[in-house]
Structures are given as structure tokens and as C-alpha cells.
């Protein structure tokens, strides 16, 4: 039996209840403990979240917002509004009404045969659903490696591939090759 795990008997001594000296690095938390939001496990979205279903065309678009002056495209409306300042035209960032809370949204895949078409397996952000749709359901692979001719539908996947393509990795004395 471990004696060190047993609770202390009797009231605390003066040394245990004494305040640390001024300037001490020890800080005592006051009030209620910090409430940290825990992340949900993958595939279990918030049941109170708004379920959003976007069309395949919308998911494949890269620049949804286009400047009417110079035709430059942007992925977000706020980026377009900030860009319009360069042209010296009026701009206004959209703001929420006072008291209106940001409602959590989850995104479902438009492909009926996909696991993520079910709202209980929806993805939590717009970038995630766009990448999922491009990887799994789009036949268009826009970025191709010039060394090995592998093609990728998502630019970040292509950039990650370029970091390791053509490298032999690290050789062990036993003959095996490791990438790290």
C-alpha cells in the first residue's frame, strides 16, 4: 500500500497556508477554474450546429469574390473589401448585430455515396470540405510533379510532395531507407 497517496490528516499548518512572498513566481489561481472548450473527436460534429450543404460547383471555385474594378479574385468577402480600399472606393466590413452569436456551422459533402454526406459525419470547416471534395470526388488534378509525374488536386498536398520527391531519405546500415 502506498502511504504517500493517502490524504493528509489534520488541519493544514501555517507553512502550507502562508502566502508567497511579494514578487514570487508562484501564482495562485483565483475564482473559478478556466473553462477550456474540448474538441470533439473526428466525425462527431456539434449536434446544435447548422448543417450547410454546398454545391460541387461552389466547392471547386477558387475565387468567389471578384473586384469589379480590376477583376482580381478573392476567396473571402472581407479580403475583397480590404482590397477595395486600394481603389479608394467605399468599403465596409460586415459586422454581426449586437447579441447575435456566431452559430457553429458544419459542412456536408454533396456526393450522396460519401460518408461525409451524412450530417453526423459532417466536416467542421469550409476549407476542410473543399479539400475533401477535391481529393475524393474531383477528377481534375491540377498540380503535377515534374520529377515523378504524380498529380494532386489540392495545392498543399502538391507542395508537401515536392519536399520529399526525389530524395532517397536516410539509409540505415541494414539497408532500409527511411524518410526521416
Amino acid at each position: 500500500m502506498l502511504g504517500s497517496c493517502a490524504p493528509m490528516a489534520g488541519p493544514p499548518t501555517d507553512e502550507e497556508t502562508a502566502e508567497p512572498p511579494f514578487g514570487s513566481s508562484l501564482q495562485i489561481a483565483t475564482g473559478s477554474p478556466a473553462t477550456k472548450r474540448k474538441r470533439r473527436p473526428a466525425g462527431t460534429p456539434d449536434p446544435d450546429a447548422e448543417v450547410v450543404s454546398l454545391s460541387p460547383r461552389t466547392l471547386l471555385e477558387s475565387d468567389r469574390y471578384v473586384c469589379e474594378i480590376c477583376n482580381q479574385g478573392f476567396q473571402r468577402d472581407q479580403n475583397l473589401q480590404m482590397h477595395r480600399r486600394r481603389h479608394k472606393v467605399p468599403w465596409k466590413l460586415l459586422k454581426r448585430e449586437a447579441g447575435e452569436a456566431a452559430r457553429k456551422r458544419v459542412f456536408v459533402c454533396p456526393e450522396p455515396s460519401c460518408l461525409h454526406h451524412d450530417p453526423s459525419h459532417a466536416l467542421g470547416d469550409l476549407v476542410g470540405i473543399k479539400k475533401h471534395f477535391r481529393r475524393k470526388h474531383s477528377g481534375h488534378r491540377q498540380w503535377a510533379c515534374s520529377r515523378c509525374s504524380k498529380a494532386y488536386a489540392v495545392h498543399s498536398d502538391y507542395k508537401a510532395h515536392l519536399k520529399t520527391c526525389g530524395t532517397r531519405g536516410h539509409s540505415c546500415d541494414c539497408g532500409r531507407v527511411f524518410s526521416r
Side-chain angles (χ1 to χ4, degrees):
M1 184 168 140
L2 296 174
S4 62
C5 292
M8 280 188 4
T13 64
D14 289 339
E15 292 175 359
E16 294 169 353
T17 59
E19 292 184 14
F22 181 76
S24 171
S25 62
L26 177 67
Q27 294 181 1
I28 299 174
T30 58
S32 64
T35 56
K36 186 176 179 184
R37 281 187 2 189
K38 293 192 176 189
R39 292 185 65 180
R40 295 182 168 279
T44 57
D46 186 358
D48 299 329
E50 175 187 1
V51 177
V52 178
S53 178
L54 300 172
S55 70
R57 185 175 156 262
T58 304
L59 292 173
L60 292 174
E61 284 179 341
S62 59
D63 296 330
R64 294 177 55 193
Y65 303 97
V66 179
C67 177
E68 61 276 3
I69 298 169
C70 67
N71 291 326
Q72 185 174 349
F74 300 92
Q75 293 181 2
R76 298 176 61 230
D77 182 45
Q78 286 85 358
N79 293 349
L80 171 61
Q81 291 178 24
M82 294 298 284
H83 165 81
R84 292 180 73 196
R85 292 173 67 183
R86 292 183 179 177
H87 297 301
K88 306 278 193 261
V89 294
W91 64 280
K92 181 181 177 186
L93 290 174
L94 299 174
K95 293 183 180 177
R96 290 192 181 94
E97 298 293 325
E100 179 186 337
R103 186 153 182 225
K104 178 78 175 147
R105 298 187 310 169
V106 292
F107 299 88
V108 293
C109 182
E111 188 67 34
S113 61
C114 181
L115 169 73
H116 298 291
H117 185 69
D118 181 10
S120 64
H121 292 282
L123 297 171
D125 65 336
L126 181 61
V127 173
I129 192 68
K130 282 187 165 200
K131 285 185 176 183
H132 160 79
F133 190 80
R134 286 177 186 262
R135 284 180 183 132
K136 303 297 180 186
H137 308 298
S138 169
H140 181 62
R141 306 226 178 260
Q142 187 174 354
W143 293 279
C145 178
S146 58
R147 295 184 205 143
C148 68
S149 71
K150 280 188 181 177
Y152 295 90
V154 177
H155 190 247
S156 59
D157 294 346
Y158 169 69
K159 287 193 330 188
H161 167 80
L162 288 179
K163 291 179 182 177
T164 59
C165 182
T167 59
R168 288 280 304 160
H170 305 283
S171 299
C172 180
D173 294 339
C174 69
R176 288 186 64 184
V177 177
F178 297 92
S179 62
R180 297 179 185 161

